[in-house]
Every structure is written in C-alpha cells, then in structure tokens.
Amino acid sequence: MESLSDTKWDVILSGTGVSQSLLALALSRSGKRVLHVDKNDYYGGDEAALSLQEVAAWVEAVNDASSPSSFRNAVLSVPDSHEGSTKLGFSRAYSISLSPHLIYARSNLLPALVSSKVYRQLEFLAVGSWWVYSEDNDGEKNDVGNAPANSSDCSTGRLSKIPGGREDVFKDKSIDLRTTRSLMKFLRLAADPETHASFLNEWGPLPFSQTLASHFKIPPDMQSPIVALTSSPDPPSKTTTSFAITRIHRHLTSIGMFGPGFGSVIPKWGGLAEISQVACRAGAVGGGIYMLKNGIERVDFHKHQDANEVRPLCIHLQGGEELLSDWLVGTHDDLPQYPQAPSPRIAEVSRSITIVSSPLSALFPLSAEGAPSPAGAVVVFPTGSIKQVLESQTEDPPVYLLVHSSDTGECPNGQSVIYASTSLPNPTSSTLLARSVQKFLATVDEDPKPEILWTLHYTQYYTISSAATNSSIDEVSSSPIICLPDVPPDMPVEDSVLDNVKQAWEKIVSTVTEEDFLIFEDREVMGEDEEDDQVESV
C-alpha cells in the first residue's frame, strides 16, 4: 500500500464538520482518492457532540489564544451539590452539542440523507411544541402546567403555546374575533407561495413588525408568537418581511409532512454531529482515508509553465507529512491562510448549555392525536420580554431555547439539556442568557423544581458569505482551494448548507450531472468483518 506522501490525492478534505462530511459522502461513489483530516481528536467540527470530560478539555483548548478556533470565551460552571439533590451522571452519559440545530421537514437535507441511503443509520426525533415567554402581572395560568410561577426577580412570567396553524387559532378562545380574522389573513398568505411575489414586492423590505401592524392589523401582544416562528436572530424592527415570510412559510408547510403535530426533527445522539459521523463512515466505506488530530499546516502552490495552473497543491500536515492533491476543501477555520484567500466577514452568536435535574415533562405534550412523543421543544424570549440588558437604547435581540429531553440520548433519564442562544455580543450576552434560563425554569410548573447541575457559556464566531444568498463556495472559480461557508448558527439548518456542498461537488466531479448528487444505489451486502476492515480508519 502506498504511503500518504506517495499517493497523489484527488481531494483532501480538512475538518469533519457537517459540510465537509456531507461532501465526503457525496464523493464516496466518485472513484476519487480522498483524504479526510481534522485538527481535532473528535468528529463533527463546530457541530461536534462531546461528553462532559471532553467539554472540559474543549474549554481549555478554545481559551488558549495560540490555538485558532471558531469558539472563544468559554466558561464552565458546576454548582456545588447539596445532600438529597440530583447529581450529574458519569461523563459519557452526556452527548453535548456545541452547535445545536433542528431540521425542518421541508429541508433539502432530509431527502438527500434518504437518497444516499445513510438515513438507515440515523434516528430522528420530533420537535414538538413551540412556546413564547411573556411577563404577566395578572397571575394568569401557564399553558405549561396548571399554575403561574414566580421568577427570580418576583415578577410573574408565563409560557404560551404558539399556534401551529389556522386550526389552533380557531381553538384558542383567548383570542378575540377581530384578531382571529387578522391572524387567519396572515396565515393564509404565509402558507400560499403564489401570493408571496406580489406581496413582498411592496412589503418585503419593510420591518416585519411594521407589516404585521399596518397591513395585517395584528395587535402588538399577538405579534410575538408570529415573530418567534421566524427564528430571526434580530429584533422585529431589524427583521425584514421577506425574511420572515420565507421562514414562516417553511415552518407552516413542514407541519404534518412526516406525521401529525410536528414539523421539524433532531438527530438522536448529538444532532448534526451524528450526521457527520454517519457521512464519514460512508466516506470510509467508499475508500476514503481518515486522520484525526492532524490538520493542515500550510499550502504551497506549484509553479507551472501555464500561469493559470497551480495543481497539484503541495499540502503540509501538522504531523509533518507533505502531500500532493488536486483539490483542498474546508471551512475558513480549517484552512490555512494563503495569498488568494478572501477576507471573511466575521459575526458572532452567544451560547449557553444548561443541564437541569428535571425531565421538564410539561414542555413536551403530544401536539396531536397519533403524533410521536416529542424529544425537543422551542422556547422563545422575544425582544423586550426580559428587562433590558443593554445600557443603550438599542433593542436586545431575542433569545432562543432549544430544550432536549433525555430521549435524545444527550443526558440521563430524569434530566434535560437547555441550549440557549442570542446574537447579543459578549459580555452582556451571558447576563441575558442566564436571565432567560432562570426565568424559564421558574415559569415551568415542575415538582420538584428543576435545579441547574451544569452550565457552559461561550461565544461562537462564524464567517458570513460575501454572496447575498450565502451560497457561494468560492470567490475565485478557478481556485483549487474551496472554502465552504460556515454552517449558519441560526436554530434551523438552512438549505444553503447542502447547496454549498453540491457546488463544491460539481467543481470536483465535473463529469457527472447534478441529478447524480447523493443519489446512490444500495451497496452489495458484505460481512461484518469485511465492513469493519474498510472503516477501521474511522
């Protein structure tokens, strides 16, 4: 067998994030010689899922200024336990996702996982109810549980279930007739794509809050549940109507697609990290070679008589190997700087992860008759629902909580994991996230009251594509180095993720048509020993 240095590689993939892993899957039937490396000692890149012990090591690594990373400002906190309190389980009883997402039924990712046959190695769980938080000084009962609950600052908050469609609006007797008509008008338009073009031509660039008030006559107290469905990182005044309508259309039309009562799913055992693992395994079965803890050190461009030809690239790994390859693919964080590299625009999202001593059962009701038991729920803290954190007059952005039950395999039975995020930058973001989690736990009617067992706060940085559609893989089409955009940190997985992978695949495999992308026949059945030999490198 040839050594790594003696092999002329067709493609070297750097990083095992979900984008690179999906590309490895797409190339697994192409006959290309693929080497897949990662500077980390785990799979998944920015979307990795880690045990508690691995998270502790990760915190030290990301706070090391000499180590380039998409993450910074990681602070891990484990409160002192007292006698009789619930305690953390053993480290590997947890699979904590660094960048949690949900996948809508209308996403282009799910059909691709089916057509490529890897869906058989994945298990998807339903995301059930969406809830919106509001301050409520009237002592009105919660939709979660049977009684109001006081938050830590003695104000009363409540969680209200967000209607999943027109039927839910009709059933809600707390909504007056006039508002019901306004909501129905909006939902009809949002669900019908044929009406979008003419409507958005006039209202698209305007703030969504203005459109709801002026065109649909929806009162301010009923706007928050609608805005929550956009999953926008920005306040309503900075969220355009075009963005909002597109997001809400996807939400509404996804509900019921795979069964009653839900419109989105989460992969079990760690979210997108599980998809990365399965895709890499398929890449290995297809002949790909995998190396962890050995990233790209630098890239040298060969000089040829043809000034436009730089292949093969000379790629130096951190382990000292010098390799030749026609293509190098990775995200900005997984590729070294080189003269042709575009200067990325950097944005950030603040995150916290909280493990609590409660199953939070009231948060996961069956949404409809015959619906599967949900393992995920969404709680939205709209702009203005938490006492303003910023000292300026700027609006605080919303906070999103993605709550996972133990059914996800991410924590032991009787516990839950709360993933919180906001676009508010550090250091004020940690205050906003902590307040939101505290108010949420105080509002949920659970006995005994949930206790915080473990908390992680951190900042995730990501590159923003220069293309308006966020689907441009490269600014120089002739470059043999393909820089994939980062996975957007918004809660839903965007279609641009798979679109970017497809563009990279088309550049590398130029002899096939786009109809062949991730359309695979079943492989011949092989024995377990034979399969284990092929994927030993994984």
Side-chain angles (χ1 to χ4, degrees):
M1 179 180 178
E2 290 182 306
S3 68
L4 294 179
S5 299
D6 292 335
T7 301
K8 170 61 169 56
W9 299 97
D10 295 307
V11 186
I12 294 181
L13 300 174
S14 180
T16 55
V18 70
S19 297
Q20 299 98 308
S21 300
L22 288 171
L23 182 56
L25 171 63
L27 293 170
S28 65
R29 307 287 184 101
S30 67
K32 300 287 186 182
R33 288 163 294 186
V34 178
L35 175 65
H36 201 163
V37 301
D38 196 314
K39 62 186 178 184
N40 300 309
D41 58 359
Y42 53 81
Y43 286 89
D46 289 354
E47 297 81 46
L50 306 177
S51 68
L52 296 188
Q53 185 176 351
E54 289 169 332
V55 170
W58 174 86
V59 168
E60 292 187 13
V62 301
N63 288 335
D64 181 358
S66 64
S67 177
S69 174
S70 300
F71 301 96
R72 278 289 180 265
N73 312 313
V75 178
L76 180 60
S77 174
V78 182
D80 294 333
S81 59
H82 55 273
E83 187 176 351
S85 64
T86 303
K87 293 179 174 57
L88 284 170
F90 61 93
S91 172
R92 292 208 169 273
Y94 300 86
S95 183
I96 304 299
S97 176
L98 298 178
S99 185
H101 294 78
L102 57 81
I103 307 173
Y104 273 111
R106 291 286 180 185
S107 166
N108 61 0
L109 179 57
L110 295 179
L113 296 176
V114 172
S115 65
S116 61
K117 312 303 181 187
V118 297
Y119 74 97
R120 295 166 180 161
Q121 302 171 55
L122 295 165
E123 184 176 350
F124 293 97
L125 304 170
V127 176
S129 300
W130 285 55
W131 309 87
V132 63
Y133 176 90
S134 62
E135 294 288 351
D136 183 6
N137 296 320
D138 297 329
E140 188 176 350
K141 290 184 178 181
N142 267 320
D143 286 355
V144 179
N146 297 315
N150 293 325
S151 64
S152 57
D153 62 2
C154 297
S155 63
T156 303
R158 69 186 304 265
L159 294 178
S160 302
K161 191 174 180 181
I162 299 176
R166 287 179 285 180
E167 183 178 349
D168 290 343
V169 173
F170 273 124
K171 289 180 179 179
D172 193 335
K173 302 302 181 183
S174 66
I175 305 175
D176 63 63
L177 182 59
R178 183 175 180 179
T179 302
T180 297
R181 290 172 178 169
S182 298
L183 291 171
M184 296 300 293
K185 177 182 177 182
F186 171 79
L187 292 173
R188 279 195 298 269
L189 181 137
D192 184 3
E194 294 185 1
T195 63
H196 291 178
S198 59
F199 174 77
L200 295 179
N201 186 52
E202 178 181 358
W203 294 90
L206 298 178
F208 189 44
S209 55
Q210 179 180 338
T211 301
L212 291 176
S214 300
H215 183 75
F216 293 102
K217 311 300 181 185
I218 296 176
D221 62 321
M222 290 303 302
Q223 291 183 19
S224 292
I226 297 174
V227 174
L229 298 181
T230 68
S231 302
S232 173
D234 300 315
S237 62
K238 297 181 180 179
T239 300
T240 66
T241 300
S242 291
F243 177 92
I245 292 294
T246 301
R247 288 286 189 93
I248 294 174
H249 171 77
R250 176 180 58 184
H251 180 91
L252 295 175
T253 56
S254 290
I255 295 175
M257 187 172 177
F258 293 142
F262 72 101
S264 57
V265 296
I266 45 179
K268 191 174 181 179
W269 309 115
L272 295 186
E274 189 68 8
I275 294 178
S276 293
Q277 288 267 16
V278 168
C280 287
R281 184 175 177 85
V285 172
I289 303 297
Y290 282 78
M291 296 179 64
L292 296 181
K293 212 171 182 179
N294 201 358
I296 308 294
E297 182 71 31
R298 76 174 194 271
V299 180
D300 291 335
F301 292 83
H302 279 235
K303 300 296 183 181
H304 296 266
Q305 291 182 351
D306 183 351
N308 294 322
E309 179 59 61
V310 295
R311 295 183 181 87
L313 297 167
C314 183
I315 298 172
H316 301 257
L317 298 185
Q318 293 170 342
E321 299 88 347
E322 294 184 10
L323 311 175
L324 297 179
S325 178
D326 283 341
W327 294 94
L328 173 61
V329 187
T331 60
H332 185 269
D333 187 53
D334 290 304
L335 295 175
Q337 292 297 307
Y338 55 96
Q340 295 92 332
S343 298
R345 292 185 296 138
I346 305 296
E348 67 181 86
V349 60
S350 299
R351 297 187 182 277
S352 74
I353 305 173
T354 305
I355 301 172
V356 298
S357 63
S358 170
L360 300 177
S361 303
L363 209 66
F364 305 104
L366 287 178
S367 301
E369 184 178 352
S373 298
V378 177
V379 179
V380 183
F381 284 75
T383 294
S385 61
I386 299 291
K387 185 178 179 181
Q388 187 159 318
V389 172
L390 293 175
E391 295 181 359
S392 67
Q393 296 301 311
T394 305
E395 293 179 298
D396 287 341
V399 174
Y400 294 93
L401 308 186
L402 186 54
V403 186
H404 288 190
S405 75
S406 61
D407 290 344
T408 60
E410 297 174 15
C411 63
N413 289 334
Q415 298 180 17
S416 303
V417 182
I418 304 169
Y419 297 99
S421 63
T422 182
S423 60
L424 186 69
N426 255 323
T428 48
S429 60
S430 58
T431 302
L432 181 61
L433 292 175
R435 285 184 186 176
S436 300
V437 171
Q438 289 167 0
K439 284 181 173 288
F440 162 68
L441 293 177
T443 302
V444 174
D445 186 30
E446 293 278 332
D447 186 22
K449 274 295 181 184
E451 296 180 10
I452 293 177
L453 305 177
W454 183 98
T455 301
L456 174 67
H457 286 266
Y458 58 100
T459 304
Q460 181 180 2
Y461 295 91
Y462 61 100
T463 58
I464 303 175
S465 172
S466 59
T469 60
N470 193 35
S471 60
S472 174
I473 61 168
D474 196 87
E475 292 194 354
V476 182
S477 61
S478 61
S479 173
I481 300 179
I482 299 176
C483 186
L484 293 164
D486 290 330
V487 174
D490 295 0
M491 191 166 49
V493 175
E494 296 301 324
D495 285 351
S496 62
V497 173
L498 192 63
D499 292 340
N500 292 328
V501 172
K502 184 177 181 180
Q503 288 183 48
W505 174 81
E506 288 173 341
K507 289 186 68 174
I508 295 168
V509 187
S510 57
T511 59
V512 296
T513 62
E514 64 176 32
E515 287 76 16
D516 297 321
F517 179 64
L518 289 176
I519 306 294
F520 297 157
E521 298 295 332
D522 286 316
R523 290 187 183 274
E524 292 184 8
V525 178
M526 59 178 68
E528 289 186 7
D529 292 341
E530 184 181 0
E531 183 177 0
D532 289 342
D533 289 342
Q534 284 194 271
V535 300
E536 186 176 358
S537 57
V538 179

